[in-house]
Amino acid sequence: MTRPKLKSFHLQREWCKGCGICVAFCPTSVLEMDSQGKATAVRLEACIACGMCMLRCPDLAITVETTDKEEKP
Amino acid sequence: MTIRKYLRERFFPHMWCPGCGHGTVLNALVRAIETMGMSRNEIVMVSGIGCSSRITGYVDVHTLHTLHGRALAFATGVKLSKPELNVIVPMGDGDALAIGGNHFIHAARRNIAITALVMNNRIYGMTGGQYSPLSGCDVMAATAPYSTIDPAFDVVALSVAAGATFVARCTTYHVKEMIDILRQAILHEGFSVVEILSQCPTYFGRANKLGDAAEMLRGLKEGTVPVGSEAKQKNPALIERGIFAQQEKPEYCAEYEKIMQRARAGRE
């Protein structure tokens, strides 16, 4: 079984309050805080599509879409 | 995004503070509902007063925003009149166990099929950080400038003793576990209680120097262990999470239907 891969990452900036939870717990340091104090994806190529940022986000601002497990990349 | 159909997007961004655990509970709750493929028409959410109770404003299901501590009383009425609906009652720690303590134990005693969520951030956030019955000893709060001397309720033990037939605890750090537990709690036929350890970085975190939201989540990660783990025996200060009780007992609405049938039969 191949691991699901990242299809798309979307962060709704107007919903993000910049708490930094996604930045603190991203296992591959994909996310950083920008100059306006909001989360932003700076190294999407390192994303392993675990989706934990999406599940933990208290502002429901993050959407991570992945390829299906069966789908060949 | 499929969960968006369960949200009232016009009210976003929501009113909770940056890093508030209640947002994560909302996130997990709509995902739990989404995995079950429930229709918005078959869910009723009833809440009382407090930061946590504002959650009903953001979900696009049937919602009631009622009196402080009395959400379970309203929910009991809804469930008895429409037993086919899934009734979910999100409450804060003070709402559920101080102001609503009596309603809480009696709803548990009746084993009515309602899902009660206790979003436990150990503080009254909305009114400025007063300590609650779940704050525990040695905690700083707006009403305890020299720290609290009141021990906390153990929500799990209290719910089991009062008669709840599904009792679980999870945290806002362990989100996948929370989604799974919420799903099981909603599906359970009887009174289910899920205590969710949540973080209030604005009041509880600041008053107790626990750092920012991420730091408080690390505290929940390191301070909890799965139920029955060996680490708990070595360090009793750790808090267990998982499912503590899951049993089948006569459900209140079903019993009420039976008694109604007996009453009707007697008249004919």
Side-chain angles (χ1 to χ4, degrees):
Chain A
M1 192 177 75
T2 53
R3 286 180 67 100
K5 286 204 162 60
L6 183 70
K7 198 153 81 183
S8 75
F9 176 93
H10 178 71
L11 195 144
Q12 192 152 351
R13 281 182 65 81
E14 357 23 302
W15 288 16
C16 173
K17 296 200 187 99
C19 67
I21 287 175
C22 55
V23 175
F25 293 106
C26 176
T28 50
S29 307
V30 169
L31 300 148
E32 273 180 18
M33 302 304 281
D34 67 13
S35 56
Q36 291 171 310
K38 305 232 176 191
T40 180
V42 289
R43 278 179 292 276
L44 267 184
E45 66 283 0
C47 178
I48 55 167
C50 65
M52 293 309 285
C53 54
M54 168 172 75
L55 301 182
R56 283 209 188 96
C57 177
D59 297 318
L60 289 83
I62 300 175
T63 310
V64 176
E65 276 191 287
T66 57
T67 56
D68 288 336
K69 279 171 189 162
E70 292 79 25
E71 200 177 304
K72 291 269 155 44
Chain B
M1 186 163 127
T2 46
I3 64 157
R4 296 236 166 165
K5 70 178 178 198
Y6 296 105
L7 298 176
R8 291 178 182 148
E9 290 189 62
R10 63 188 184 280
F11 297 131
F12 279 74
H14 56 56
M15 51 69 73
W16 291 311
C17 300
C20 174
H22 295 347
T24 309
V25 177
L26 169 65
N27 194 335
L29 183 62
V30 289
R31 283 177 206 281
I33 291 170
E34 196 258 334
T35 59
M36 291 184 281
M38 277 184 173
S39 149
R40 295 177 302 161
N41 280 327
E42 52 184 336
I43 303 166
V44 187
M45 274 175 69
V46 187
S47 69
I49 298 296
C51 291
S52 55
S53 298
R54 294 290 293 266
I55 197 170
T56 51
Y58 300 113
V59 281
D60 203 7
V61 299
H62 298 294
T63 57
L64 280 169
H65 195 177
T66 69
L67 307 179
H68 202 3
R70 317 295 180 231
L72 281 169
F74 283 84
T76 301
V78 171
K79 184 70 186 176
L80 274 175
S81 63
K82 298 251 176 225
E84 69 276 14
L85 297 177
N86 291 291
V87 182
I88 304 170
V89 182
M91 298 172 284
D93 41 323
D95 193 43
L97 289 151
I99 303 95
N102 218 343
H103 294 295
F104 185 85
I105 54 174
H106 289 284
R109 177 175 63 84
R110 291 184 182 123
N111 194 33
I112 184 162
I114 289 173
T115 308
L117 313 180
V118 182
M119 297 153 75
N120 178 11
N121 57 9
R122 305 176 68 191
I123 204 95
Y124 288 94
M126 186 167 274
T127 46
Q130 295 81 5
Y131 66 88
S132 87
L134 297 186
S135 293
C137 292
D138 301 321
V139 156
M140 301 297 279
T143 42
Y146 300 100
S147 86
T148 52
I149 55 167
D150 307 33
F153 274 133
D154 178 337
V155 182
V156 166
L158 175 77
S159 307
V160 172
T165 47
F166 182 98
V167 180
R169 183 188 284 130
C170 51
T171 83
T172 48
Y173 176 81
H174 305 90
V175 272
K176 286 192 171 170
E177 207 173 275
M178 171 162 40
I179 294 170
D180 182 49
I181 283 176
L182 288 175
R183 197 180 54 79
Q184 292 190 57
I186 293 168
L187 290 175
H188 178 73
E189 274 303 311
F191 192 72
S192 44
V193 178
V194 182
E195 180 190 14
I196 305 157
L197 303 180
S198 176
Q199 75 277 11
C200 173
T202 304
Y203 287 109
F204 194 86
R206 199 153 55 188
N208 292 285
K209 298 191 169 52
L210 297 175
D212 62 4
E215 205 54 47
M216 290 183 82
L217 278 184
R218 259 182 220 112
L220 290 176
K221 178 190 177 189
E222 286 152 15
T224 62
V225 285
V227 59
S229 95
E230 273 181 37
K232 169 80 179 170
Q233 286 158 9
K234 287 178 196 147
N235 180 7
L238 292 169
I239 301 170
E240 289 183 299
R241 43 169 227 276
I243 297 168
F244 295 81
Q246 191 170 16
Q247 54 175 321
E248 288 196 13
K249 275 190 184 168
E251 195 271 327
Y252 195 66
C253 296
E255 294 303 303
Y256 185 70
E257 184 52 37
K258 281 184 208 162
I259 214 78
M260 288 301 283
Q261 280 175 4
R262 267 171 63 186
R264 284 190 204 108
R267 266 192 210 172
E268 283 157 11

